[in-house]
Amino acid sequence: MRPDAIRKFDLFFLASVAMGLASGLLNFDAQVAALAQAWTQVGLQDQAESFIIGITIVGFAVNMLLWYLASRKRQGWVKWVLAAFVAFSAVSIVSALASDMGSLSLTGAIALLLKAIATVFLFMPDAKAWFSGQVS
Protein backbone atom coordinates (compact mmCIF):
# COMPACT_ATOMS: atom_id res chain seq x y z
CA MET A 1 0.00 0.00 0.00
CA ARG A 2 1.26 3.44 -0.87
CA PRO A 3 1.99 5.79 2.03
CA ASP A 4 -0.19 8.73 2.92
CA ALA A 5 2.35 11.26 1.58
CA ILE A 6 2.27 9.65 -1.88
CA ARG A 7 -1.53 9.60 -1.93
CA LYS A 8 -1.54 13.30 -1.01
CA PHE A 9 1.09 13.95 -3.68
CA ASP A 10 -1.23 12.32 -6.22
CA LEU A 11 -4.16 14.45 -5.14
CA PHE A 12 -2.33 17.79 -5.15
CA PHE A 13 -0.23 17.10 -8.23
CA LEU A 14 -3.13 15.96 -10.40
CA ALA A 15 -5.16 18.93 -9.16
CA SER A 16 -2.29 21.23 -10.18
CA VAL A 17 -2.21 19.67 -13.65
CA ALA A 18 -5.97 20.13 -14.01
CA MET A 19 -5.73 23.71 -12.76
CA GLY A 20 -2.85 24.38 -15.15
CA LEU A 21 -4.93 23.13 -18.07
CA ALA A 22 -7.87 25.26 -16.93
CA SER A 23 -5.55 28.26 -16.69
CA GLY A 24 -4.27 27.61 -20.19
CA LEU A 25 -7.78 27.37 -21.58
CA LEU A 26 -9.01 30.46 -19.75
CA ASN A 27 -6.02 32.52 -20.88
CA PHE A 28 -5.61 30.96 -24.34
CA ASP A 29 -6.63 34.00 -26.40
CA ALA A 30 -4.45 36.35 -24.37
CA GLN A 31 -1.45 34.02 -24.67
CA VAL A 32 -1.91 33.66 -28.44
CA ALA A 33 -2.29 37.43 -28.88
CA ALA A 34 0.82 38.19 -26.82
CA LEU A 35 2.91 35.61 -28.65
CA ALA A 36 1.62 36.70 -32.06
CA GLN A 37 2.56 40.28 -31.25
CA ALA A 38 6.05 39.22 -30.14
CA TRP A 39 6.52 37.06 -33.24
CA THR A 40 5.27 39.72 -35.69
CA GLN A 41 8.79 41.08 -36.18
CA VAL A 42 10.01 37.74 -37.52
CA GLY A 43 6.86 36.93 -39.49
CA LEU A 44 5.73 34.00 -37.38
CA GLN A 45 2.58 35.54 -35.89
CA ASP A 46 0.39 33.01 -37.72
CA GLN A 47 2.12 30.16 -35.88
CA ALA A 48 1.35 31.46 -32.38
CA GLU A 49 -1.84 29.47 -31.86
CA SER A 50 -0.27 26.19 -33.00
CA PHE A 51 2.74 26.82 -30.78
CA ILE A 52 0.58 27.48 -27.69
CA ILE A 53 -1.43 24.31 -28.36
CA GLY A 54 1.74 22.28 -28.89
CA ILE A 55 3.47 23.58 -25.79
CA THR A 56 0.34 22.85 -23.74
CA ILE A 57 0.28 19.26 -24.97
CA VAL A 58 4.01 18.81 -24.30
CA GLY A 59 3.66 20.35 -20.83
CA PHE A 60 0.76 18.04 -20.00
CA ALA A 61 2.70 15.01 -21.22
CA VAL A 62 5.80 15.92 -19.20
CA ASN A 63 3.71 16.48 -16.07
CA MET A 64 1.95 13.14 -16.46
CA LEU A 65 5.26 11.36 -17.08
CA LEU A 66 6.78 12.88 -13.94
CA TRP A 67 3.69 11.97 -11.93
CA TYR A 68 3.81 8.38 -13.22
CA LEU A 69 7.52 8.02 -12.47
CA ALA A 70 7.14 9.37 -8.93
CA SER A 71 3.81 7.87 -7.95
CA ARG A 72 3.81 4.54 -9.73
CA LYS A 73 7.44 3.69 -10.48
CA ARG A 74 9.00 4.97 -7.23
CA GLN A 75 11.65 7.02 -8.96
CA GLY A 76 12.99 9.22 -6.14
CA TRP A 77 14.99 11.48 -8.45
CA VAL A 78 11.71 12.87 -9.80
CA LYS A 79 11.13 14.80 -6.57
CA TRP A 80 14.27 16.82 -7.31
CA VAL A 81 13.16 17.53 -10.87
CA LEU A 82 9.76 18.69 -9.60
CA ALA A 83 11.37 20.82 -6.90
CA ALA A 84 13.58 22.45 -9.55
CA PHE A 85 10.57 23.08 -11.82
CA VAL A 86 8.59 24.65 -8.98
CA ALA A 87 11.53 26.83 -7.92
CA PHE A 88 12.20 27.91 -11.52
CA SER A 89 8.52 28.73 -12.06
CA ALA A 90 8.34 30.78 -8.86
CA VAL A 91 11.50 32.72 -9.70
CA SER A 92 10.33 33.27 -13.28
CA ILE A 93 6.97 34.62 -12.16
CA VAL A 94 8.51 36.95 -9.59
CA SER A 95 11.10 38.30 -12.04
CA ALA A 96 8.53 38.74 -14.81
CA LEU A 97 6.18 40.61 -12.49
CA ALA A 98 9.00 42.75 -11.11
CA SER A 99 10.10 43.79 -14.59
CA ASP A 100 6.55 44.37 -15.92
CA MET A 101 7.17 41.74 -18.59
CA GLY A 102 4.46 39.33 -17.55
CA SER A 103 1.29 38.79 -15.67
CA LEU A 104 -0.04 36.13 -13.37
CA SER A 105 -3.49 34.66 -13.54
CA LEU A 106 -5.21 33.48 -10.39
CA THR A 107 -5.59 29.99 -11.84
CA GLY A 108 -1.90 29.90 -12.76
CA ALA A 109 -0.93 30.92 -9.23
CA ILE A 110 -3.18 28.26 -7.74
CA ALA A 111 -1.70 25.62 -10.06
CA LEU A 112 1.83 26.55 -8.97
CA LEU A 113 0.82 26.50 -5.30
CA LEU A 114 -0.78 23.06 -5.67
CA LYS A 115 2.33 21.73 -7.42
CA ALA A 116 4.55 23.14 -4.66
CA ILE A 117 2.42 21.48 -1.99
CA ALA A 118 2.48 18.19 -3.94
CA THR A 119 6.26 18.34 -4.22
CA VAL A 120 6.66 18.88 -0.47
CA PHE A 121 4.84 15.58 0.14
CA LEU A 122 7.56 13.77 -1.82
CA PHE A 123 10.09 14.83 0.82
CA MET A 124 8.10 13.50 3.79
CA PRO A 125 9.65 10.64 5.80
CA ASP A 126 7.09 8.03 4.68
CA ALA A 127 7.63 9.00 1.04
CA LYS A 128 11.40 8.73 1.46
CA ALA A 129 10.98 5.23 2.91
CA TRP A 130 8.65 4.29 0.06
CA PHE A 131 11.10 5.52 -2.59
CA SER A 132 13.91 3.56 -0.99
CA GLY A 133 11.81 0.37 -1.05
CA GLN A 134 11.51 0.06 2.74
CA VAL A 135 7.71 0.17 2.47
CA SER A 136 5.73 -2.00 0.08
Side-chain angles (χ1 to χ4, degrees):
M1 178 180 230
R2 294 175 324 127
D4 189 48
I6 298 300
R7 288 194 305 272
K8 288 178 181 174
F9 163 75
D10 289 347
L11 177 71
F12 281 95
F13 190 82
L14 294 174
S16 79
V17 171
M19 186 62 74
L21 285 174
S23 178
L25 290 173
L26 290 170
N27 299 306
F28 182 76
D29 291 335
Q31 291 174 346
V32 170
L35 188 59
Q37 182 181 9
W39 283 3
T40 298
Q41 296 174 350
V42 292
L44 294 175
Q45 65 274 11
D46 295 336
Q47 305 303 318
E49 185 172 336
S50 298
F51 182 79
I52 296 292
I53 291 169
I55 207 76
T56 301
I57 291 168
V58 169
F60 177 77
V62 167
N63 274 304
M64 294 311 295
L65 176 63
L66 291 172
W67 168 78
Y68 177 76
L69 290 173
S71 179
R72 303 295 184 221
K73 291 296 185 179
R74 291 186 177 191
Q75 298 295 313
W77 59 268
V78 173
K79 67 184 174 185
W80 296 105
V81 172
L82 289 173
F85 281 170
V86 168
F88 178 76
S89 295
V91 169
S92 296
I93 288 170
V94 169
S95 64
L97 291 174
S99 64
D100 278 341
M101 294 189 63
S103 63
L104 178 62
S105 68
L106 179 59
T107 52
I110 292 170
L112 179 59
L113 179 63
L114 289 170
K115 192 169 287 181
I117 293 169
T119 303
V120 167
F121 283 113
L122 295 178
F123 289 90
M124 295 292 179
D126 58 340
K128 288 179 184 180
W130 187 73
F131 282 129
S132 68
Q134 297 171 356
V135 177
S136 58

